[in-house]
Amino acid sequence: MREPEYLYRVTFLNQGQVYEVYVKNIYQSDIYGFVEIEHFVFGGKSSVVVDPAEEKLRGEFQDVVCSFVPMHSIIRIDQVEKGGVAKIS
């Protein structure tokens, strides 16, 4: 029996805005004071409703393999079963 694959919802501050993204992997980075997040997950591309905030995030993280977020910028990390809509607040 396969273990369920979980996602992580990471909420962090970036330039005065709150980002909420979904990723498959999260690690404590080898770079002191940073959290490493990778394999970003966004909603389906065939979605009828287009969310401008998610499109902005998709464009911003489109070619990113791995992102290093300072630990003091992390607000919350949740392990979830299903992804949701990435957003900027």
Side-chain angles (χ1 to χ4, degrees):
M1 185 170 170
R2 276 181 55 176
E3 290 185 31
E5 290 187 22
Y6 292 106
L7 294 176
Y8 297 94
R9 179 176 51 222
V10 182
T11 308
F12 62 95
L13 287 171
N14 183 31
Q15 299 178 349
Q17 297 180 317
V18 178
Y19 281 45
E20 185 176 293
V21 296
Y22 290 85
V23 296
K24 289 184 180 180
N25 299 319
I26 185 164
Y27 309 100
Q28 181 176 342
S29 175
D30 291 337
I31 302 172
Y32 183 74
F34 286 83
V35 173
E36 186 175 339
I37 57 177
E38 60 185 24
H39 296 111
F40 292 87
V41 176
F42 295 101
K45 293 185 178 187
S46 64
S47 177
V48 175
V49 178
V50 177
D51 184 5
E54 185 175 26
E55 288 300 314
K56 180 179 177 185
L57 283 170
R58 186 189 307 254
E60 185 171 339
F61 292 107
Q62 180 178 8
D63 296 327
V64 175
V65 174
C66 175
S67 187
F68 298 90
V69 179
M71 279 189 201
H72 66 273
S73 295
I74 301 285
I75 297 171
R76 183 176 179 152
I77 300 171
D78 296 318
Q79 185 177 26
V80 296
E81 291 183 7
K82 291 192 279 187
V85 177
K87 55 187 164 186
I88 300 173
S89 304

